[in-house]
Amino acid sequence: MAEAVASGRDDRTAKARIRDSAIATFAAHGVEGASVRLVAEGAGVSPALVIHHFGSKEALRRACDVHVAAVIREQKREAIAAGAGLDPLAALRGAAGGLPLLRYLARTLADGTEEVAELLDELVGDAEGYLAEGVETGLLKPTAYPRQRAAVLLLWSLGALVLNEHVRRLLGADLTADLGDPEALAAAGAYFGPVLELYGQGLMDEGYARRLREALDPGPSSGSGQGPG
Amino acid sequence: MAEAVASGRDDRTAKARIRDSAIATFAAHGVEGASVRLVAEGAGVSPALVIHHFGSKEALRRACDVHVAAVIREQKREAIAAGAGLDPLAALRGAAGGLPLLRYLARTLADGTEEVAELLDELVGDAEGYLAEGVETGLLKPTAYPRQRAAVLLLWSLGALVLNEHVRRLLGADLTADLGDPEALAAAGAYFGPVLELYGQGLMDEGYARRLREALDPGPSSGSGQGPG
DNA sequence: CCGGCTCCTGAACGATCGTTTATTCTCGTG
DNA sequence: CACGAGAATAAACGATCGTTCAGGAGCCGG
């Protein structure tokens, strides 16, 4: 039952190849839209071997979730040692096999399995810590909602990742590209530029925002649906 | 070939019932995960009638996209007459059958069909107009990227909608709930509160944000992956 | 040479899928 | 009443799905 380590002269274990192919295939077609046969073809094995190693398609999907979460956690730990930025997924973009994981996340985040939910909770906790550090050094502004602000910022980042196709069409920036590539980084500026402007100066007049916020809290019979978006 | 209008004493046309059931079923299980038989059961008809009226499952999905886009466009027009807020989807939340459409959007936005892409482009254009108005009246701050800022804000809103399940778990706010309900509105404050704080005061020290932004534009060999997230 | 073990496969099974076909039901119209 | 047209269905078809099963290929200690 131990993990196979028969990495002799050639490539990865067949089990690892199946898992990587599943991550790529699920990312490309969605979990429901990707068949076991397609995953097997991508790994160069028979469909039966996929079931033999993972038991079922659903278990394969769980294994993908666990693996993606594990890699992200490891990259995160390395990023902490190197001095983390604000983007909890930045380390993935540069990592060797990070991009398929990013695309897998982008495709499966909306489905919401238990494993990725736990990962998200963890990332929110990390982000809250990073944000608190930034506040202490004066680079970030203090907040009345430390944990909620961390959650919102992470959800915005991941939401943009999930809508990556629309980000690319509307702005020309591919968030699942390797930002080490200068061309991709320049294109990503169409997203990060206005984002940084918003992060720097905000969007609204402060008094206006405060009034809207105060209108939320007590909750008498205020006006009709005028959400802040 | 004309639209059936046999709405006599009872409810909607069977074709309309099928379309509404498809919207709800696709929203609940995803398009790939929902079968024609399930859609038919929800509409109280036979599976064959679904194909008889729409030709194929894919055509049914396109019809759902078209219908959702049409309803949103109409609600949008009414919202303009009533004086629009910043949330382009606010009108949907209060509308009679708006919630299923919202959940359909949340589930299918990531798939990216042509019809919803056109709708998104349209919504970005509208948002750019609203933002420009806000800048003129002094409620919103000016920007160097008018269209990109509109796109980013819309993508953040829709991204949070797509990740609604995580928003609910992390913050306790359900963005697909009827915000006319005071309890749901209060819960949504856990999302809109930090959002409005960010919109009001921003996130970063302005000089720090400007330095990060300038590091993006020219693009010499700057440091490794430290995205703004 | 041999039995056993692991990795792996070809072929098939039952279920479910989207869709087709033939048929019945409903009902306004001449 | 006769009749044609659309609404609606039951039943089945071929395809594909996830999964099972029996066994082959290669290797290793005896």
Side-chain angles (χ1 to χ4, degrees):
Chain A
M1 283 298 184
E3 279 290 309
V5 280
S7 69
R9 43 168 181 77
D10 75 339
D11 220 353
R12 303 152 290 173
T13 296
K15 188 171 180 178
R17 262 185 297 130
I18 292 173
R19 191 230 303 128
D20 292 349
S21 168
I23 289 174
T25 310
F26 288 165
H29 303 89
V31 177
E32 302 268 9
S35 66
V36 172
R37 284 165 174 84
L38 203 57
V39 171
E41 185 182 353
V45 300
S46 68
L49 192 62
V50 175
I51 303 297
H52 171 72
H53 275 308
F54 292 92
S56 71
K57 184 186 179 182
E58 180 56 31
L60 170 61
R61 179 227 176 89
R62 279 196 296 270
C64 290
D65 283 343
V66 169
H67 181 250
V68 168
V71 170
I72 289 179
R73 289 191 178 99
E74 184 175 356
Q75 297 280 359
K76 206 179 55 185
R77 208 175 302 122
E78 294 180 9
I80 290 177
L86 286 175
D87 184 353
L89 300 176
L92 266 188
R93 295 205 170 88
L99 265 51
L101 305 198
L102 217 57
R103 300 199 178 96
Y104 176 85
L105 259 190
R107 186 82 193 214
T108 59
L109 255 176
D111 295 357
T113 65
E114 186 184 347
E115 187 68 27
V116 300
E118 289 176 8
L119 178 66
L120 266 201
D121 294 352
E122 211 174 303
L123 291 176
V124 169
D126 294 343
E128 185 179 351
Y130 299 149
L131 292 175
E133 281 183 30
V135 170
E136 285 180 10
T137 62
L139 291 178
L140 302 184
K141 301 187 175 177
T143 175
Y145 325 87
R147 195 184 124 78
Q148 288 91 332
R149 184 169 77 168
V152 164
L153 289 171
L154 186 72
L155 287 167
W156 280 351
S157 298
L158 298 178
L161 184 67
V162 170
L163 299 180
N164 178 65
E165 179 186 341
H166 298 287
V167 173
R168 203 170 46 210
R169 180 171 41 82
L170 288 169
L171 298 172
D174 185 357
L175 299 177
T176 67
D178 180 7
L179 297 189
D181 175 19
E183 194 172 344
L185 184 64
Y191 172 77
F192 289 119
V195 165
L196 284 169
E197 190 192 60
L198 282 166
Y199 284 172
Q201 69 176 17
L203 169 68
M204 302 170 172
D205 170 79
E206 283 210 51
Y208 179 48
R210 195 182 338 108
R211 262 176 282 135
L212 284 179
R213 187 142 46 95
E214 285 166 357
L216 269 177
D217 202 5
S221 67
S222 79
S224 59
Q226 287 236 10
Chain B
M1 281 299 183
E3 278 290 307
V5 279
S7 69
R9 43 167 182 75
D10 73 341
D11 222 353
R12 303 153 290 173
T13 296
K15 189 171 180 180
R17 262 185 296 132
I18 292 172
R19 188 230 304 130
D20 292 349
S21 168
I23 289 175
T25 310
F26 288 164
H29 303 88
V31 177
E32 302 269 9
S35 66
V36 172
R37 284 165 173 85
L38 205 57
V39 171
E41 187 182 353
V45 300
S46 69
L49 192 63
V50 175
I51 303 298
H52 171 72
H53 274 308
F54 291 92
S56 72
K57 183 186 179 183
E58 180 55 33
L60 170 62
R61 178 227 177 90
R62 278 196 298 269
C64 290
D65 282 343
V66 169
H67 181 251
V68 168
V71 170
I72 289 179
R73 288 191 178 101
E74 184 174 357
Q75 298 279 357
K76 206 178 56 185
R77 208 174 303 124
E78 295 180 8
I80 290 178
L86 287 175
D87 184 355
L89 300 177
L92 266 187
R93 295 203 170 89
L99 265 52
L101 304 198
L102 216 58
R103 299 199 177 97
Y104 176 85
L105 260 190
R107 186 81 192 215
T108 60
L109 256 176
D111 296 359
T113 65
E114 186 184 346
E115 187 67 29
V116 300
E118 288 176 10
L119 178 65
L120 267 199
D121 294 352
E122 213 174 299
L123 291 177
V124 169
D126 294 343
E128 187 180 348
Y130 300 150
L131 293 175
E133 281 183 30
V135 170
E136 285 181 12
T137 62
L139 292 178
L140 302 184
K141 302 187 176 176
T143 174
Y145 324 88
R147 196 184 122 81
Q148 289 89 334
R149 183 170 77 169
V152 164
L153 290 171
L154 186 70
L155 287 166
W156 280 351
S157 297
L158 297 178
L161 184 67
V162 171
L163 299 180
N164 178 64
E165 180 187 341
H166 298 286
V167 173
R168 205 170 44 210
R169 180 173 39 82
L170 288 168
L171 298 173
D174 185 356
L175 299 178
T176 67
D178 180 7
L179 298 189
D181 175 20
E183 194 172 342
L185 183 66
Y191 172 76
F192 289 119
V195 165
L196 283 171
E197 190 191 62
L198 282 166
Y199 283 172
Q201 71 175 17
L203 169 68
M204 303 172 172
D205 171 78
E206 280 210 54
Y208 178 49
R210 196 183 336 111
R211 263 176 282 136
L212 285 178
R213 187 141 47 97
E214 284 165 359
L216 269 178
D217 202 7
S221 67
S222 76
S224 60
Q226 288 236 8

